[in-house]
Amino acid sequence: MANYNLCRVPQISLNSFDIGCNIGKGGFGKVYIAREKTNSYIVALKLLSIEQLIKENAEEQLRHEVEIQANLRHPNILRLLGYFQQSMYFILILEYAAKGELYKQLLKSGRLKEKKASRYIAQIAEALSYIHQKHVIHRDIKPENLLIDLNDEIKIADFGWSVHTKKSTLDYISPEIVEGKEHDERIDLWSLGVLCYKLLTGTTPFEETGRTATYKQIAKAEFTLPDHLSVEACDLICSVTVF
Ligand code: ATP
Ligand code: MG
């Protein structure tokens, strides 16, 4: 994996891959599983429609974010192995996460056992600590953006793309953002707390009906902890509300 750096191979094209089935659909295009022909390496190819990127004024920002992600190397951050442009598409070559979104796993199981959740949370915390040291903030930590590989390791995806996300998910955003204040990398830790709550209970802590009511709840850090949570889990969740 370490030597597999396609970023510097300008002659790469779709023809370099055997393209398999469609494994997902995102805001700007589709994702396919693919095998690189020369070394049989399995990857995910994300085809982003250039027309749509231009229409939504997201092209330059996307390039900028891609540069950031291509330089990150951490076992719990989805590797961006390379990118190229072909006809109507900007194509990202991504590490393949065989078990897909954590979100889908949660939909199936409702909530996770504390042991399993704590393993995931520890991995995400490690990855966040790494990016924060590099002065990068993810800004959009939530189960939809966390992929899982064959070995059940977390891979943080959609790196720094929250800027493009039109409908940002209210549930995971921090009081500083709600109040329009300046913010720093600690907003990721807030989201990590919300995520921890979600993994252990199956719901998010701030679920008032309506945006304004949810905003108020977030700003006051007002939430209840269900009885089935251990003291340690409660401590961890509450610790992110006190910076
Ligand atoms: P966007 O990132 O454009 O806002 P999105 O987050 O909804 O949109 P994508 O990131 O494009 O969607 O991914 C769409 C789906 O494809 C995801 O739900 C995920 O299941 C799957 N997917 C994306 N990347 C990979 C990958 N590297 N490995 C496995 N599955 C992936
Ligand atoms: Mg995504």
Side-chain angles (χ1 to χ4, degrees):
M1 170 76 99
N3 297 325
Y4 190 75
N5 190 349
L6 290 175
C7 294
R8 299 193 195 96
V9 186
Q11 67 272 29
I12 198 120
S13 75
L14 283 176
N15 201 31
S16 316
F17 301 89
D18 289 318
I19 299 180
C21 61
N22 173 233
I23 49 171
K25 190 177 183 323
F28 292 99
K30 289 184 179 169
V31 184
Y32 296 87
I33 186 169
R35 189 176 47 210
E36 216 264 356
K37 283 177 185 167
T38 51
N39 58 16
S40 296
Y41 206 90
I42 300 290
V43 294
L45 290 182
K46 187 163 169 170
L47 276 69
L48 303 158
S49 151
I50 292 174
E51 192 190 345
Q52 204 178 338
L53 287 166
I54 293 171
K55 210 159 58 188
E56 300 192 23
N57 239 337
E59 207 192 8
E60 267 317 297
Q61 186 62 36
L62 170 70
R63 278 183 201 279
H64 175 72
E65 299 296 350
V66 159
E67 297 286 345
I68 293 178
Q69 192 176 348
N71 287 307
L72 296 174
R73 300 278 186 280
H74 189 277
N76 300 113
I77 293 173
L78 193 79
R79 271 288 301 277
L80 172 61
L81 299 159
Y83 47 89
F84 58 96
Q85 203 170 314
Q86 190 167 340
S87 64
M88 320 277 285
Y89 295 99
F90 188 75
I91 297 149
L92 305 183
I93 309 163
L94 296 161
E95 176 182 0
Y96 174 57
K99 293 191 183 170
E101 287 179 21
L102 176 58
Y103 178 75
K104 285 182 189 142
Q105 201 183 103
L106 263 182
L107 278 185
K108 262 191 254 158
S109 59
R111 62 184 202 222
L112 305 184
K113 298 223 167 74
E114 288 201 2
K115 195 168 174 202
K116 182 157 187 150
S118 65
R119 193 175 151 268
Y120 285 159
I121 293 291
Q123 290 181 359
I124 302 161
E126 293 273 353
L128 289 178
S129 166
Y130 167 81
I131 64 161
H132 291 168
Q133 275 167 33
K134 290 182 165 275
H135 309 287
V136 173
I137 310 174
H138 186 282
R139 292 190 180 92
D140 203 16
I141 294 294
K142 58 183 181 186
E144 293 88 331
N145 287 340
L146 299 166
L147 300 179
I148 301 168
D149 77 358
L150 208 52
N151 301 319
D152 214 27
E153 305 287 315
I154 285 275
K155 303 282 171 180
I156 300 184
D158 271 348
F159 217 86
W161 286 22
S162 53
V163 191
H164 310 305
T165 313
K166 278 192 172 162
K167 278 186 268 162
S168 60
T169 316
L170 250 193
D171 302 314
Y172 294 83
I173 61 172
S174 67
E176 317 68 311
I177 302 219
V178 163
E179 292 170 353
K181 289 185 189 158
E182 262 187 49
H183 57 267
D184 57 24
E185 72 282 352
R186 289 175 296 184
I187 61 169
D188 284 340
L189 303 184
W190 175 276
S191 307
L192 186 64
V194 177
L195 177 76
C196 186
Y197 189 106
K198 167 86 177 175
L199 296 187
L200 294 174
T201 66
T203 60
T204 47
F206 311 108
E207 292 221 315
E208 281 291 334
T209 34
R211 232 180 152 80
T212 318
T214 310
Y215 271 169
K216 271 193 193 148
Q217 243 193 342
I218 294 173
K220 289 195 222 152
E222 231 174 49
F223 60 95
T224 52
L225 292 157
D227 293 340
H228 66 80
L229 292 183
S230 69
V231 175
E232 291 83 0
C234 294
D235 275 357
L236 180 64
I237 291 166
C238 293
S239 66
V240 302
T241 66
V242 194
F243 292 144

